[in-house]
Every structure is written in structure tokens, then in C-alpha cells.
Amino acid sequence: MEHSDLARCPNCSSNMIYDIRAGALKCASCDTVLSISEYDDIVQKKKKNNAGSFSEGARVDSSDEFFDADSATGFCPFCGNAIVFTDKYKSQRVPDMIVPFTKDRQDFINSYKEECKQRLFVPDDFITGAKLEKVKAWYIPFWLYDLTVEGSATYQVEDVRKSGKNNHKHEIFKGSSEAKVEFYNIPQDGSIEVDDRVSQRLEPFFLSDGVKFNFAYLSGLDAKIYNVNSDECITRVKARARESMDRFLSDASHHKYYKITSRDYHIKPDKISYALMPIWNMDIVWKNKTFPFSMNGQTGLQVAKFPISWPKFSTCIGTSLWMLGCFLAWVSTWDSFVKAKDSIKGVCLVSFLYGLLVCYVFPKYLFSRNLNSTIFGVLFLLCGGFFILKAVGDRIDMVYFIISLAIAIFTVAFIDGQILYKTVKDQNKVELRPSCDVNMSDSCPAPTVHSFYSIKTKTTGSSYSIIEGSKEYHPEI
């Protein structure tokens, strides 16, 4: 049996729930609105007058099928009142702070609709026919770790610069340094129900907007208790701190690639705090498949995997290449242009500008919906046919045409196709954050550098790293 609390209205004793948009408790019956501090003042006055807490409810069996065992909130199946199982938190550990929701349900649904518009090549029937289920505002338990990392590392870093038209100059340096770095409030969710890849991609949560924990914030919302303790979570936190230490000691932000060859770190936990963070979550059900969609309830940052319409993708690339190729076939019949000194440069420029359209205009505006893809796919085919008809009967310079076609294929099929493919994959990327640079203390002194010198210079045709096992530096959000 658990003890349940109700936030009761002081005017009519009805149920009060936390209204996200108002940032206050609102009565379901008389529309009384009270801030959390105002409500607390009333409760305290009641206690001083020996009247007891008018928020106290009945004893409820939380193991009943109506209630989630890992949830600290629920709704009475008989009267519909919002219930907070305060004993569930008190039996573990009461959170030190809570970051209140600032985004409500409508913000969440609007965010999903906007994300559908921004994603490339999403199937039409997913946008129009998917069902939105289990829409919930969750307070998720997070452990916040303060750590001190002290130690040294040896490393290699690589700078890559353009050298001539098709070459890249790679310069590799070797160094060693040491430092003492403090990290504050590295977050790690303490709920097995939440995928770590999702919770970490929803970072950061701005703790400056956090407030002292109060059960009233939970009224009418879903809240989880932790089922992964702080000792179990710290392994992942240490791995992130170690990666940030690698980047810090190697001064990775000033180089293209970095690689740690040896390290000797001592990681000391200084403080562990417990907080509840706001996350919106729902299931998007389409063709018997479920696509979770989550949003940071404070900042509005989203993370999700959407299906991809490969027919739209293929139509965009294929018909775009067809129209450009047919246009270049027609151009190959122009003796005055073919014989011009800089005609190939002109073809390269046309292909480059056309490639920009294929990458940044066509997918978003011309091939965003099935009808658009059909209309513009047919239109591109007809335009290409028009250019072919214009070329019929005229002498095509085959050498010039083959060169032009090779440029077109390379630009549209290979470069644009790869860029678009990477874009749609990146939009669906849900990965663990490797580091926690944003949690480093701003007052950390620069590392003590013991050595730093160039060990190799090499010129290649590729900008990819020549250090085996190196990592490309990416700044954190």
C-alpha cells in the first residue's frame, strides 16, 4: 500500500493539476490558479493551525493493475483525480531539484508536425495516416555527477588543408600534456524505460531554470522513480568524462582529427545529485511499426527516427540527372560553345549550380510529397525529352558530350546523391553522446603541455585522416 497525495483547491477542495503553460496549479472545477509557492504557503498555514495537510489523500494499492509500478503518479480509475505517490520517492530518495515543463502538449504536437515538414523524403501516408499514441509528459529521473579528472595523455593530432586543385596536405603532430579538470552536473537518466541514446540526444537541460523539488509539480503529469541506481550509471558518465579529457588534453578543437595513444587518468566523484527532467514522448504507429518521438520538455529539442521513401529519393536523383544530361546533349550540338576556350569550365559551373538545386531545393519543395514527386518527375522527363528532340538532326560532338555527361553524373549521382543520403541518415541518427564538454568547468586552467612537435607531412587526394584509429572533432551542441 502507498500513501497518495492530492493537490486540493483551497476554495472548493477539488483536484488541482499542474498547468504547464501557466506554470502553476490550476483547479479542475473552479479554475483557481496558484503558483507552487502560494500553494505551499497555504499548506504550511494549515499545518500551523493543526488542520493537517488538506492535500493528504487515501491509502492506495499502487500494485493494482491500474498503476505503473515504476510511476510515482497516476489517475484514480474511479474519480479521475490526479494522484502522486509521495511514498515512492520518500522510500528511495527525494529528488534534489526538478526542471519544470515549459512546453505543453500542443507545443509537442506542433513540434512533431514541423519535424515532418523538415524531414526529407518522408512517406506521405506516414504524415497523413500515422496514429499518435501514448502521448505523455514524463518527469524522468536523472543522476547528476560532479567529477574531478586528473592525469596526463600522449596524443597525435592532424591538420588537413587544401593543397592545389585536387590534393590535401596532412600534417601530423605528436604531443603530451596533463591537467586537472572539474566537471559539473553530467546527466545520466536512471530509468530503464528510457533509451540512453534518446535521453542523451535531448541534452542539454538547463539547470539554471531548475527549482527545489516539490510534489505539486507532478500533479496531473507522469513521473518515474529511478530503477537504475547512481552506482550503476556512473560507468557511462566516467566514459564521457574520459572522452572530454582526451579532447581537452589534445586541444582537439583546434585540429581536424585527434587520437590518444596513451592516458593515465584518475577520476574522482565529488557529488551526486538527483533531479527530475521534463520529457515529452509518444509512439507514432504506422504500418504495424512503432516510431518513438521524444522532445525535451524545457527546450523543445526533438529526437526521432522517421521512415524514408526511397522512391521519392530515386525519383529526385534519377529525373534530375536525366534532365541535366539531356540539356548537355543539346549543348553538345552548339559548335560555337563546344569550340570555346572555357566551355568545359562553363559545363562545370552549370553542373555545380544545378547540383545545389538538387541538394537544397528539389528535395524540400519539388519532391517533398508523392504528388509533387510525380508531377516534377514527369516534368523533368518531358524537359529532358524536349532537349533531346532539339538535338535530333544536329551533329553532337560525342567526345564533348561524354565529358559533359561524366561531369553531370559525378555532380548529381555521386556528390548530390551522397549528400542527400547522408542528410536523411543524419536526420534519423540516434546515438549516445561520446563526451560531455559542456559540463566542463569554465575556470579550468589550460593543460600543461610537455611536448608538441610535427612528426609527418603528407599530401594525398583525400581529406580523410591518415592517422589510423583517429577521431574527427565535432563540437558538442
Side-chain angles (χ1 to χ4, degrees), residues 394-450:
D394 295 325
R395 180 179 174 274
I396 295 178
D397 188 313
M398 292 304 299
V399 175
Y400 188 86
F401 173 64
I402 290 172
I403 294 173
S404 300
L405 186 61
I407 294 171
I409 293 174
F410 179 75
T411 303
V412 177
F414 289 97
I415 296 181
D416 295 342
Q418 286 297 317
I419 291 174
L420 286 177
Y421 180 79
K422 185 177 185 302
T423 299
V424 295
K425 287 295 186 182
D426 286 348
Q427 287 180 335
N428 279 327
K429 187 180 291 184
V430 183
E431 296 180 337
L432 292 170
R433 286 189 180 276
S435 55
C436 52
D437 297 357
V438 295
N439 300 100
M440 292 177 63
S441 171
D442 294 333
S443 60
C444 286
T448 300
V449 179
H450 296 296

Side-chain angles (χ1 to χ4, degrees), residues 14 21 30 32 45 51 93 115 163 183 199 213 240 265 289 358 443 460:
S14 186
R21 193 166 290 276
C30 67
T32 296
K45 288 178 182 178
R93 172 180 172 179
E115 190 67 15
S163 178
F183 293 84
S199 61
F213 176 74
R240 294 180 68 183
Y265 299 157
K289 294 182 179 179
V358 174
S443 60
T460 71

Side-chain angles (χ1 to χ4, degrees), residues 143 145 147 186-190 195-201 203 228-244 267 431-436 439 471 476:
W143 298 109
Y145 298 82
L147 305 176
I186 303 173
Q188 176 63 38
D189 79 76
D195 190 328
D196 286 353
R197 295 173 299 174
V198 172
S199 61
Q200 290 183 18
R201 283 294 151 186
E203 295 177 21
V228 184
N229 64 42
S230 58
D231 292 336
E232 295 175 272
C233 289
I234 199 169
T235 301
R236 175 61 197 150
V237 170
K238 285 182 176 180
R240 294 180 68 183
R242 189 180 299 113
E243 179 64 28
S244 287
I267 303 177
E431 296 180 337
L432 292 170
R433 286 189 180 276
S435 55
C436 52
N439 300 100
K471 300 177 182 178
E476 290 209 334

Side-chain angles (χ1 to χ4, degrees), residues 155-161 168-175 250-260 452-460 462-473:
Y155 55 86
Q156 293 180 2
V157 292
E158 180 178 354
D159 292 330
V160 183
R161 297 180 179 86
H168 293 84
K169 181 181 178 181
H170 300 252
E171 189 168 11
I172 301 173
F173 300 87
K174 184 176 181 179
S250 62
D251 196 21
S253 62
H254 292 94
H255 304 279
K256 179 71 172 175
Y257 300 99
Y258 68 99
K259 174 186 177 182
I260 300 298
F452 188 80
Y453 52 91
S454 176
I455 61 172
K456 183 188 294 185
T457 300
K458 185 176 181 180
T459 300
T460 71
S462 170
S463 63
Y464 293 110
S465 175
I466 60 174
I467 304 178
E468 185 178 352
S470 67
K471 300 177 182 178
E472 186 173 1
Y473 175 79

